[in-house]
Coordinates of all heavy atoms in Angstrom, one line a residue:
F63 N 15.5 142.1 303.9 CA 15.0 141.8 305.3 C 14.0 142.7 305.7 O 14.3 143.9 306.1 CB 16.2 141.7 306.2 CG 16.9 140.4 306.2 CD1 17.6 140.0 305.0 CD2 17.0 139.5 307.3 CE1 18.2 138.7 304.9 CE2 17.6 138.3 307.2 CZ 18.2 137.9 306.0
P66 N 13.7 142.3 311.5 CA 15.0 142.4 312.1 C 15.8 141.1 312.0 O 15.2 140.0 312.1 CB 14.8 142.9 313.5 CG 13.4 143.3 313.6 CD 12.6 142.6 312.6
S67 N 17.1 141.2 311.9 CA 18.0 140.0 312.0 C 19.4 140.5 312.2 O 19.9 141.5 311.7 CB 18.0 139.3 310.6 OG 19.0 138.3 310.5
T68 N 20.2 139.7 313.1 CA 21.6 139.9 313.2 C 22.3 138.8 312.5 O 23.0 139.0 311.5 CB 22.0 140.0 314.7 OG1 21.4 141.1 315.3 CG2 23.5 140.1 314.8
R69 N 22.1 137.5 313.0 CA 22.8 136.4 312.5 C 22.6 136.0 311.0 O 23.5 135.9 310.2 CB 22.4 135.1 313.4 CG 23.1 135.0 314.7 CD 22.2 134.4 315.7 NE 21.1 135.3 316.0 CZ 21.2 136.2 317.0 NH1 22.2 136.1 317.8 NH2 20.2 137.1 317.2
T70 N 21.3 135.9 310.7 CA 21.0 135.4 309.3 C 21.4 136.4 308.3 O 22.1 136.0 307.3 CB 19.5 135.2 309.2 OG1 19.0 134.4 310.4 CG2 19.1 134.4 308.0
R71 N 21.1 137.7 308.5 CA 21.4 138.7 307.5 C 23.0 138.8 307.3 O 23.5 138.8 306.2 CB 20.9 140.1 307.8 CG 20.9 141.0 306.7 CD 20.6 142.5 307.1 NE 21.6 143.0 308.0 CZ 22.9 143.3 307.7 NH1 23.2 143.3 306.4 NH2 23.7 143.8 308.6
R119 N 13.6 137.8 304.2 CA 13.0 137.5 305.5 C 11.7 138.4 305.6 O 11.8 139.6 305.3 CB 13.9 137.9 306.7 CG 13.1 137.8 308.0 CD 14.0 137.9 309.2 NE 14.7 136.6 309.4 CZ 15.4 136.3 310.5 NH1 15.5 137.2 311.5 NH2 16.1 135.2 310.6
A140 N 14.7 133.3 304.3 CA 15.5 133.5 305.5 C 14.6 133.7 306.7 O 15.0 134.3 307.7 CB 16.3 134.8 305.3
H147 N 12.2 128.4 308.6 CA 13.5 129.1 308.6 C 14.5 128.0 308.2 O 15.3 127.5 309.0 CB 13.8 129.7 310.0 CG 15.0 130.6 310.1 ND1 15.9 130.8 309.1 CD2 15.4 131.4 311.1 CE1 16.8 131.6 309.4 NE2 16.5 132.0 310.7
Q150 N 18.3 127.9 309.1 CA 18.6 127.7 310.6 C 18.6 126.2 310.9 O 19.5 125.7 311.6 CB 17.6 128.5 311.4 CG 17.7 128.3 312.9 CD 19.0 129.0 313.5 OE1 19.3 130.1 313.1 NE2 19.8 128.3 314.3
R180 N 9.2 129.4 313.6 CA 9.6 128.8 312.3 C 10.8 128.0 312.4 O 11.0 127.0 311.7 CB 9.9 130.0 311.3 CG 10.9 131.0 311.8 CD 10.8 132.3 311.0 NE 11.6 133.4 311.4 CZ 11.3 134.6 311.2 NH1 10.2 135.0 310.6 NH2 12.1 135.6 311.6
V181 N 11.7 128.3 313.4 CA 12.9 127.5 313.7 C 12.5 126.1 314.1 O 13.0 125.1 313.6 CB 13.8 128.1 314.8 CG1 14.9 127.2 315.2 CG2 14.3 129.5 314.3
P274 N 18.9 129.0 318.8 CA 19.1 129.7 317.6 C 19.5 131.1 317.7 O 19.9 131.8 316.7 CB 17.8 129.5 316.9 CG 16.8 129.4 318.0 CD 17.5 128.6 319.1
G275 N 19.3 131.7 318.9 CA 19.5 133.1 319.1 C 18.4 133.9 318.5 O 17.7 133.4 317.7
P276 N 18.2 135.2 319.0 CA 18.9 135.8 320.1 C 18.4 135.1 321.4 O 17.3 134.7 321.6 CB 18.4 137.2 320.0 CG 17.2 137.2 319.2 CD 17.2 136.1 318.3
R306 N 25.2 128.5 304.5 CA 24.6 129.5 303.6 C 25.5 129.6 302.3 O 24.9 129.8 301.2 CB 24.4 130.8 304.3 CG 23.2 130.7 305.3 CD 23.0 131.8 306.2 NE 21.8 131.5 307.0 CZ 21.8 131.5 308.3 NH1 22.8 131.8 309.1 NH2 20.6 131.2 309.0
Ligands
LIG401 N1 18.5 132.7 314.5 C1 18.1 133.8 313.8 O1 17.4 133.7 312.8 O2 18.7 135.0 314.3 P1 18.5 136.4 313.6 O3 17.0 136.8 313.8 O4 19.4 137.3 314.3 O5 18.8 136.3 312.1

Side-chain angles (χ1 to χ4, degrees):
F63 277 62
S67 168
T68 298
R69 281 147 288 269
T70 313
R71 194 193 63 75
R119 171 167 289 191
H147 190 349
Q150 179 68 46
R180 53 194 175 209
V181 174
R306 287 171 179 128

